[in-house]
Amino acid sequence: MRTYDIERYLNIRSAYGASFSADGERLSFLMDTTGVPQVWTVDSPGAWPEQRTFYEERVTFASWSPERPELAFGMDKGGNERAQLFRLEPDTGVIENLTEHPDAKHRWGGWSRDGERFAFTSNRRDNAVFDVYVQARNGSGTDAELVHEGDGWLTVGGWSPDDSKLIVQEAYSNFDQDVSVLDLATGELTHITPHQGTVRFQSPEWGPDGENVYMVTDRGSDTLELVRYELASGEFTTVDTGGDHELEGISIDHDSRRLVYSRNVEGYTELTFGELTAPDRIDLLPQPDLPNGVAGGVSFSPDGERAAVTVTASADTANVYVVELATGDAERWTLAATAGIPRDTFVSPELVRYPTFDGRDIPAFFTLPEESPEGETPVIVDIHGGPESQRRPSFSSVKQYFLSRGYAYFEPNVRGSAGYGKAYGHLDDVEKRMDSVADIEAAVEWLHDHPAVDPDKIVAMGGSYGGFMVLAAMTEYPDLWAAGVDIVGIANFVTFLENTGDWRRELREAEYGSLEDDREFLESISPINNVEKIRAPLFVLHGENDPRVPVSEAHQLVEEAREHAHVRELIFDDEGHGFSKLENRIEAYSQIADFLDEYVRSAPAADD
């Protein structure tokens, strides 16, 4: 089989995040053809798209005005996540900075129905908390009106159909949120989801009449269900339970009363389109004819007859499809290039389950390369971050590159992962943190029994919280690993919590434990305090501007670990939490490939 270098794989493009223009004739979307995501538009399926922004920094979203030929988009600098909001007129190329507060984060909250205003949340008043702002479409900088002072992590869930109210969501952790309604005339904030313990209230959406709020929640079940909250009575009604699987989100078009919600089935997305013919009645529309994979980012056309959807699969790049809702027919509008690599060379995974220490079965995706000599195949165990995230069957050019080089890929969804219900998600909280690391040991034991796998050539790799999992697995189970790759990972929970962005600390303490109450425990499980146990070669990569996991985590780890094992370090001065620039990604993964070639592929087998 012909092979291609990492630069070719990293030039595989993704198109996603579509939005319909006010006249319904154009789609905007993000695509990384230049090396970082920029705004593009296209006016028909497969037509030549036009690039609309030309920055060296990544664009994070783009949203058409509902009334005018203009777009709002977000962009940070050097990966610092302090996104600013901009207004773009595609037909003239004019771009205006709407926020002009470069030291603050701005989180888009949507256009008003008339397109005259937009809402957002920002920590410009206090770095540790988010407030709600409303601003005129042609305003800038200090023109924004502070309409609600917050005391936590706030986002805006959208404008009511008459533009008089906003949905405001507050997150305490990934498994605990609240939803409120803000009256813009009076400033009154009405809390609509009082609860005890941890309960998820996610993806809140106004109903077409403005009298109801729809959302997904696990308030009465282990998994997320679709519910309706009636503002007048203050009562919840279950609309769809989702069966044994989580319902992930809902989007509603007010004028047409069309809606869509998604169901997470072992990581794969099932979309349901329908029409709200009564507050709790959904008349279903045909199932969309979309590839089997992960779908989201739905945008309805102005007439509600079509919906743009981003779809990706393990063996297919992310692209935007447009669904004709009356028939379910779908057509791909974007053609994200594969850098000349034949699509039929991309490999799909097998969904497996393996037993762990307490008798539980852990779900995972296992992908073997086309050629897997018995007992000779090296494996990369790629551990997701979060921790309340989920490894799903979406396209990864890095994974496909390593598969082409003969590595198998194992992607576990250990306890604490999202997508499998509330109870599963809480199995790794605070004092149970290391149980999830034990699930990684069980994964390696399962791999040892696989006939294709070389048990002496198993690699741990992960980013962010997944980087912690790599380091923890290498200190708890040092004899299992041929090498480790830690990307923007947590080495010391105490210094991580002390130095992370002020706006994130409380949110993260809810998952990991608090500095005040759990400091001793956090010290005990921090890999930096067990670094002498590391035996395998370790590669540590980080971004200088990381606002989530400060680069100091990498520096202190490397300094300590070098006394006990071979360690490499690579720091990018113009990146944050991960690597967004193409040239940096090429450098990072080229060095990772060389590192694994030296210490895994060419390493002699261990003595029996």
Side-chain angles (χ1 to χ4, degrees):
M1 182 182 73
R2 174 173 293 180
T3 59
Y4 306 88
D5 61 23
I6 185 61
E7 183 170 355
R8 182 75 74 88
Y9 275 91
L10 291 178
N11 271 288
I12 294 173
R13 305 309 183 192
S14 297
Y16 58 96
S19 176
F20 269 106
S21 60
D23 58 11
E25 295 181 0
R26 285 186 287 182
L27 275 181
S28 69
F29 60 96
L30 302 185
M31 189 163 63
D32 52 357
T33 296
T34 62
V36 290
Q38 297 295 301
V39 181
W40 297 68
T41 63
V42 66
D43 58 12
S44 62
W48 190 266
E50 292 192 50
Q51 187 176 348
R52 301 296 185 174
T53 59
F54 301 86
Y55 296 102
E56 294 182 358
E57 304 290 353
R58 63 181 177 180
V59 173
T60 55
F61 80 91
S63 175
W64 279 101
S65 163
E67 292 293 333
R68 293 178 177 81
E70 60 187 23
L71 287 153
F73 69 90
M75 182 174 64
D76 68 357
K77 184 175 182 180
N80 66 6
E81 299 187 10
R82 293 178 173 87
Q84 305 300 299
L85 304 179
F86 300 82
R87 182 167 57 87
L88 162 67
E89 298 176 1
D91 296 334
T92 65
V94 171
I95 296 176
E96 301 286 346
N97 188 330
L98 296 170
T99 46
E100 297 180 343
H101 281 72
D103 294 330
K105 291 171 65 73
H106 299 84
R107 311 181 74 198
W108 178 248
W111 293 98
S112 61
R113 183 182 175 89
D114 61 11
E116 291 292 337
R117 297 173 292 169
F118 61 92
F120 63 92
T121 59
S122 177
N123 62 343
R124 57 172 65 170
R125 177 181 62 88
D126 181 337
N127 194 51
V129 300
F130 286 81
D131 302 323
V132 181
Y133 294 83
V134 170
Q135 184 171 320
R137 54 168 287 276
N138 56 357
S140 64
T142 58
D143 294 338
E145 178 187 0
L146 195 162
V147 295
H148 174 70
E149 288 192 2
D151 59 3
W153 184 276
L154 301 186
T155 54
V156 172
W159 296 73
S160 61
D162 63 0
D163 286 346
S164 68
K165 300 179 180 67
L166 295 174
I167 291 174
V168 178
Q169 185 177 15
E170 181 167 6
Y172 313 111
S173 75
N174 284 3
F175 276 88
D176 191 19
Q177 299 91 31
D178 263 320
V179 176
S180 300
V181 172
L182 176 64
D183 188 307
L184 292 175
T186 65
E188 181 181 1
L189 187 74
T190 303
H191 180 201
I192 67 173
T193 57
H195 64 278
Q196 294 182 340
T198 58
V199 180
R200 289 176 289 176
F201 294 95
Q202 298 178 352
S203 187
E205 283 273 317
W206 287 101
D209 50 16
E211 298 175 359
N212 299 287
V213 176
Y214 293 81
M215 67 190 85
V216 295
T217 179
D218 57 10
R219 63 186 292 272
S221 66
D222 182 59
T223 56
L224 293 169
E225 300 178 330
L226 176 60
V227 302
R228 174 179 65 91
Y229 177 87
E230 186 178 44
L231 294 176
S233 67
E235 294 185 356
F236 283 95
T237 303
T238 300
V239 180
D240 190 343
T241 65
D244 296 330
H245 301 284
E246 302 250 80
L247 295 180
E248 295 186 301
I250 181 172
S251 180
I252 301 173
D253 181 65
H254 294 158
D255 289 338
S256 68
R257 308 183 70 88
R258 296 281 174 81
L259 60 74
V260 60
Y261 56 95
S262 60
R263 187 167 174 250
N264 182 340
V265 181
E266 299 286 2
Y268 293 87
T269 304
E270 290 184 358
L271 292 179
T272 297
F273 284 96
E275 185 173 333
L276 273 171
T277 53
D280 298 324
R281 178 180 170 180
I282 300 172
D283 285 358
L284 298 182
L285 293 166
Q287 192 76 18
D289 181 23
L290 293 168
N292 187 31
V294 182
V298 178
S299 172
F300 287 98
S301 62
D303 60 8
E305 296 297 320
R306 298 173 295 161
V309 185
T310 301
V311 184
T312 176
S314 293
D316 199 3
T317 55
N319 272 291
V320 176
Y321 291 74
V322 173
V323 180
E324 296 288 341
L325 299 183
T327 63
D329 293 339
E331 191 167 9
R332 190 171 72 174
W333 272 50
T334 62
L335 301 172
T338 63
I341 302 174
R343 292 179 184 273
D344 60 9
T345 65
F346 302 145
V347 187
S348 296
E350 176 188 2
L351 178 62
V352 302
R353 289 183 176 270
Y354 65 91
T356 191
F357 67 94
D358 58 357
R360 194 179 307 274
D361 284 337
I362 304 297
F365 291 102
F366 184 46
T367 316
L368 283 168
E370 285 191 7
E371 297 180 6
S372 305
E374 184 170 344
E376 298 180 17
T377 307
V379 183
I380 295 173
V381 178
D382 191 356
I383 310 166
H384 70 66
E388 314 95 329
S389 185
Q390 182 186 20
R391 188 51 54 90
R392 306 186 67 170
S394 55
F395 186 81
S396 166
S397 58
V398 171
K399 178 171 75 171
Q400 294 297 333
Y401 168 68
F402 281 111
L403 286 166
S404 76
R405 291 173 59 85
Y407 288 89
Y409 237 72
F410 192 87
E411 302 166 283
N413 282 309
V414 298
R415 68 189 64 214
S417 299
Y420 304 95
K422 176 164 51 179
Y424 192 79
H426 284 307
L427 287 175
D428 69 339
D429 287 357
V430 192
E431 72 279 358
K432 295 176 283 189
R433 176 68 46 213
M434 302 309 285
D435 287 352
S436 62
V437 183
D439 290 343
I440 298 297
E441 181 205 21
V444 176
E445 295 299 328
W446 185 88
L447 288 168
H448 282 179
D449 292 334
H450 195 284
V453 171
D454 184 338
D456 296 320
K457 295 185 177 182
I458 298 179
V459 178
M461 184 163 72
S464 189
Y465 175 80
F468 157 75
M469 291 289 281
V470 167
L471 298 173
M474 294 181 74
T475 54
E476 291 293 309
Y477 310 103
D479 297 330
L480 296 181
W481 307 104
V485 181
D486 161 33
I487 303 171
V488 299
I490 301 168
N492 185 330
F493 275 113
V494 172
T495 56
F496 158 67
L497 291 170
E498 288 175 339
N499 296 315
T500 193
D502 293 340
W503 60 87
R504 288 182 53 81
R505 186 170 300 109
E506 185 176 349
L507 198 69
R508 293 294 82 204
E509 285 187 326
E511 168 69 27
Y512 299 135
S514 72
L515 289 170
E516 181 178 353
D517 299 329
D518 305 294
R519 180 180 288 262
E520 184 176 350
F521 172 73
L522 292 172
E523 291 277 15
S524 72
I525 67 169
S526 292
I528 191 70
N529 296 321
N530 300 292
V531 73
E532 74 280 356
K533 297 179 182 178
I534 293 178
R535 294 290 177 266
L538 174 64
F539 194 2
V540 178
L541 303 94
H542 218 100
E544 184 70 34
N545 305 318
D546 193 335
R548 302 189 187 193
V549 182
V551 70
S552 55
E553 291 291 296
H555 293 324
Q556 65 174 325
L557 170 69
V558 169
E559 182 179 355
E560 294 284 338
R562 274 182 173 156
E563 298 181 11
H564 310 283
H566 175 83
V567 182
R568 290 186 192 176
E569 182 181 35
L570 179 59
I571 307 297
F572 291 101
D573 293 337
D574 56 349
E575 294 283 10
H577 195 64
F579 312 133
S580 62
K581 295 179 171 65
L582 177 60
E583 64 270 23
N584 293 339
R585 285 172 54 79
I586 292 170
E587 177 69 14
Y589 288 103
S590 293
Q591 289 206 30
I592 290 172
D594 292 343
F595 174 78
L596 296 184
D597 277 353
E598 181 177 354
Y599 291 102
V600 181
R601 288 283 292 270
S602 62
D607 293 334
D608 293 333

